[in-house]
Amino acid sequence: MKHRVRAATLAAAALALAACSTTAPTASGGGGGDDVRTGNGVTADGITIGMITDLSGPFAAGAAVQVTETQAYWDQVNADGGICDRDVTVDVQDHGYDPQRAVTLYRSMAPDVVALQQVLGGPTSAAVLPLAEQDSVYVGGVGWAGSALAYENNQLPGASNAIQAANAIDYMVDELDVPEGSTVGVVYFTGDYGGDALAGAEHAAEERGLQILAQEITPATTDLSAQASALAQADVAGVVLAAAPTQLASLAGVLSSQGADVPIIGMNPTFNPSLLTTPAADALLANAYSMTSVSPYDNPDSPGVQAANELYASADPTGATGWEVPLAYVQAELLRQALEGACESGDLTPEGVVAAFRDGGEVDTEGVLPDGLDYSQVGQSPTTTVFVSKVSADAEAGLELLDQVSGPSAESFSYGG
Amino acid sequence: MSYFLEQVLNGLSYGLVLSLIAAGFAIVFTSTGVLNFAHGSVVLLGAYLVAVLHDTIGFWPAVLVGLAGAAVVGVAINALLVRNLADPNPGTAAILMLGVDIVLLTELTRRIGNQVLTLGAPWGASVVRLGDVTLPTGRVLAAGVTVVAFGALWYLFSRTDLGVGMRAAAADGPTASLMGIRLSRTAATGWALAGILAAVAGIFLTSFPAPGVAPTVALSAFAAIPAWVLGGFDSVPGAVVGGLLIGLTSALVTGYEAELEPFLGSGFGEVAPYVVMIVVLLVRPSGLLGSKEAVRV
């Protein structure tokens, strides 16, 4: 009996070890005949990357656009010869915006992928990032919250939320005639995204001699009447909004109806072209701006954005256009450059991919992200430059690009300092 | 002073919309003993139907379809699922309703996508000005419609055979059944009424000052839960009082956040309804107007 128990224990332990084990790096290129060291997710003729996204939860529609664009991108890369003479396969999994499911999926995928191009969502990526960091697995596309910058394995697609918000304040003062000494509203979601934006706005307000009136909300707050009345009562000269499209339209509409026609600058995901069909359209066209890390959809001067849009149009001619298209493209582009860097340095392992994007080399996204990205410093935003757009009925996807800016407060902002 | 008045009127008008949803919770609970956690999705469904149909059939016919659609879905949930429960206790039914909510919400989210669908309401973004106070026309209309709806409910429950039957069934189902009241009929009426109230609330929750129909509307409906609970699980008048109290509290705490922040911290407006609910339940465990025998889970 004792033997049987021991045997069973041993068998269970062996099974557990087998389940947890990861492929040890091999120096022979996974049998490929080249001199590249390989590890998880890389074989002699194939590379597997992962994408843990939300195909059944609240962000399903936008996520589907990103999946389509990502697949089209890697199909094209494969058609052009692949990476390191290997075809790239994308393993797309659905976490349904559930952090627990995201962790389970990560655990099951980690032994078979070399990198994760995206873990969509704040709470889901916050659950996966520390585990992936322990395993030295690259994670891209987790949004722009400053908290993600602390992870060496995370590559942020452009400026963080705090940098966007600091730039928003700078832009108000420098370009939109918001006078020194006035009060600016900050309406923000509870959590990483909104908290980071508030930190940037507070820093910039102090630098530029403005007062901040902060209003915290949740995604369930779809009627911002009370917040708008409070902002109008404080006679704010502008509003920084770190929320979602529903909140932008409500705030713009109510402020305008109260005669407070002040600029409202939304962060990355705050605008959606369908808002222009709502009763708030006039107020949005008059007062709303967007301060984004990634170029808007309508950017004829950027070859990268044009390539992204053409790729999407051929993959899904009737698909919804918007900022997700250039975003998904550039996430794939960042990972492609990291994979190629790893290949060139002869280390196509998960660790090699992280080292490749952190090596301080040049990152060129052909205008989808600002030039001069610097990923060599863990803990700081890779750039202080953002795109400023104005809501416009004439622009494709509703945003007309005005400028790229890097304000003095954005440049003086430092995480942890 | 006009600022205070504006926040009070904002809060009361929003509170009346919440009370429509809370009353739906209460009616379903009294007629079938179910904690209907799928109610938020029914709110979204009513608004969604109006948003997708107003272009082709016009706004007012779309409203009728929205109301009817939400009522039919409510009746169907009761007829197909609740009545067939092998173990008809409130806990099982509540979990079943959570499941229904997930299914409905996932399908509606899929259909809505990442769009914000406009409702096409004829009042658009217009506002009513009373002196220095500005109120969205939609909110003034919502207040009027809600008062009329509650008047109609009062008439139904106190002056018609069907309503009296519903009250009898709620008070003592088996005895009401022996007296010739068809419990299936009173239950179906309760679910239909709750569906109609949900759709009306959905229309006002998604028209100006809110921009349109997005999946988060189902979440907003959960703001009515403190109103329902503090009013008393089984009381429609309690739901009205609860809704007004929650609406008023949210508006005032948010409106005076700058003044309250040194004591309460930021974002207290989101928590305030629950604090009010807990305080009320500590003083009156059955809610403001709930009957003491109400079953709790």
Side-chain angles (χ1 to χ4, degrees):
Chain A
M1 181 67 188
K2 223 184 230 174
H3 289 296
R4 221 182 288 167
V5 171
R6 253 188 227 155
T9 312
L10 270 176
L15 260 178
L17 274 174
C20 295
S21 75
T22 52
T23 318
T26 54
S28 64
D34 47 19
D35 292 333
V36 176
R37 241 163 68 90
T38 63
N40 292 347
V42 180
T43 63
D45 48 13
I47 296 174
T48 307
I49 59 169
M51 196 168 175
I52 311 184
T53 185
D54 177 10
L55 296 174
S56 59
F59 300 103
V65 172
Q66 295 192 51
V67 170
T68 304
E69 177 76 359
T70 302
Q71 292 284 11
Y73 179 93
W74 291 108
D75 286 349
Q76 194 179 54
V77 167
N78 291 339
D80 294 344
I83 304 274
C84 226
D85 299 325
R86 291 163 170 87
D87 272 354
V88 178
T89 310
V90 190
D91 179 9
V92 181
Q93 296 291 337
D94 170 31
H95 61 42
Y97 210 60
D98 174 355
Q100 188 54 50
R101 237 163 91 192
V103 167
T104 310
L105 284 169
Y106 171 75
R107 289 283 190 217
S108 66
M109 288 165 84
D112 303 316
V113 296
V114 69
L116 291 168
Q117 182 186 306
Q118 180 175 46
V119 179
L120 186 141
T124 37
S125 58
V128 168
L129 268 171
L131 303 174
E133 190 185 40
Q134 280 173 10
D135 301 342
S136 297
V137 172
Y138 171 104
V139 179
V142 300
W144 298 268
S147 53
L149 290 169
Y151 296 96
E152 192 188 3
N153 58 328
N154 170 241
Q155 189 171 28
L156 218 67
S160 68
N161 294 127
I163 298 295
Q164 294 164 33
N167 271 314
I169 299 276
D170 283 333
Y171 193 76
M172 280 183 189
V173 174
D174 295 335
E175 304 291 334
L176 301 174
D177 303 325
V178 168
E180 197 178 322
S182 53
T183 302
V184 169
V186 178
V187 182
Y188 65 101
F189 276 169
T190 312
D192 283 359
Y193 158 40
D196 194 32
L198 178 65
E202 281 177 334
H203 165 80
E206 205 180 319
E207 295 272 301
R208 307 304 298 260
L210 302 178
Q211 305 294 315
I212 290 282
L213 175 66
Q215 296 272 344
E216 188 175 303
I217 55 170
T218 69
T221 318
T222 52
D223 167 6
L224 273 73
S225 301
Q227 287 80 1
S229 294
L231 295 170
Q233 170 74 5
D235 208 13
V236 294
V239 183
V240 176
L241 181 70
T246 319
Q247 286 76 22
L248 172 65
S250 178
L251 189 69
V254 182
L255 275 177
S256 178
S257 76
Q258 296 187 346
D261 277 306
V262 296
I264 303 170
I265 304 189
M267 303 297 101
N268 250 354
T270 328
F271 181 76
N272 182 300
S274 66
L275 294 183
L276 292 179
T277 63
T278 69
D282 288 342
L284 290 167
L285 289 169
N287 301 324
Y289 296 80
S290 206
M291 191 68 65
T292 58
S293 312
V294 182
S295 162
Y297 186 86
D298 193 351
N299 183 357
D301 296 332
S302 158
V305 173
Q306 292 308 306
N309 297 355
E310 281 164 21
L311 204 54
Y312 184 70
S314 60
D316 187 358
T318 58
T321 55
W323 58 277
E324 292 93 349
V325 174
L327 173 65
Y329 179 90
V330 85
Q331 284 170 174
E333 179 66 23
L334 288 174
L335 179 55
R336 181 185 66 77
Q337 294 186 25
L339 289 171
E340 281 184 345
C343 176
E344 275 166 30
S345 62
D347 185 8
L348 199 52
T349 61
E351 294 86 353
V353 176
V354 174
F357 93 84
R358 286 289 182 196
D359 72 356
E362 193 192 341
V363 181
D364 181 11
T365 60
E366 295 189 305
V368 188
L369 297 177
D371 291 338
L373 294 165
D374 176 10
Y375 286 103
S376 64
Q377 236 185 320
V378 179
Q380 296 302 331
S381 177
T383 175
T384 55
T385 306
V386 294
F387 296 86
V388 190
S389 313
K390 174 98 183 65
V391 174
S392 161
D394 301 326
E396 269 189 284
L399 283 179
E400 180 194 346
L401 179 61
L402 299 179
D403 206 354
Q404 286 189 40
V405 295
S406 174
S409 314
E411 288 173 6
S412 64
F413 182 87
S414 169
Y415 284 97
Chain B
M1 187 58 196
S2 67
Y3 175 65
F4 175 74
L5 198 61
E6 186 166 295
Q7 291 293 22
V8 167
L9 291 176
N10 252 330
L12 290 179
S13 59
Y14 176 59
L16 280 170
V17 179
L18 286 186
S19 66
L20 284 172
I21 305 173
F25 277 118
I27 291 172
V28 166
F29 183 73
T30 48
S31 57
T32 48
V34 174
L35 302 167
N36 182 14
F37 291 120
H39 204 47
S41 301
V42 180
V43 170
L44 177 60
L45 173 75
Y48 170 77
L49 287 173
V50 180
V52 292
L53 292 174
H54 78 268
D55 250 354
T56 42
I57 61 172
F59 177 72
W60 295 109
V63 167
L64 289 180
V65 176
L67 264 55
V72 167
V73 167
V75 171
I77 292 172
N78 179 52
L80 301 176
L81 299 170
V82 177
R83 283 179 61 194
N84 293 323
L85 270 182
D87 174 21
N89 75 55
T92 317
I95 290 167
L96 178 67
M97 288 306 109
L98 285 174
V100 172
D101 187 56
I102 290 169
V103 171
L104 256 178
L105 190 57
T106 306
E107 175 58 14
L108 287 170
T109 303
R110 187 185 69 79
R111 284 172 178 271
I112 295 169
N114 61 348
Q115 310 284 302
V116 178
L117 306 177
T118 184
L119 212 60
W123 54 87
S126 63
V127 290
V128 176
R129 291 183 208 282
L130 308 159
D132 289 343
V133 176
T134 310
L135 270 183
T137 309
R139 278 294 141 81
V140 178
L141 272 173
V145 168
T146 309
V147 170
V148 171
F150 282 123
L153 277 181
W154 170 82
Y155 183 81
L156 174 79
F157 285 131
S158 58
R159 294 284 187 273
T160 66
D161 287 348
L162 179 63
V164 172
M166 285 176 75
R167 281 166 56 206
D172 187 343
T175 310
S177 187
L178 288 171
M179 302 291 283
I181 292 168
R182 282 169 58 193
L183 296 186
S184 59
R185 200 174 125 195
T186 57
T189 311
W191 278 87
L193 278 176
I196 290 169
L197 293 176
V200 173
I203 290 165
F204 288 119
L205 276 180
T206 52
S207 57
F208 189 75
V213 182
T216 42
V217 173
L219 286 177
S220 324
F222 279 102
I225 287 182
W228 167 43
V229 175
L230 77 83
F233 271 84
D234 56 353
S235 167
V236 173
V240 180
V241 178
L244 289 172
L245 200 56
I246 295 297
L248 201 56
T249 310
S250 299
L252 289 178
V253 173
T254 306
Y256 289 94
E257 176 157 341
E259 286 79 1
L260 294 171
E261 202 199 336
F263 317 103
L264 299 172
S266 59
F268 192 70
E270 303 293 337
V271 188
Y274 295 91
V275 174
V276 172
M277 179 186 84
I278 290 167
V279 170
V280 168
L281 291 182
L282 284 173
V283 181
R284 291 182 66 91
S286 306
L288 288 172
L289 299 172
S291 51
K292 294 209 162 54
E293 298 80 3
V295 179
R296 292 204 169 68
V297 185

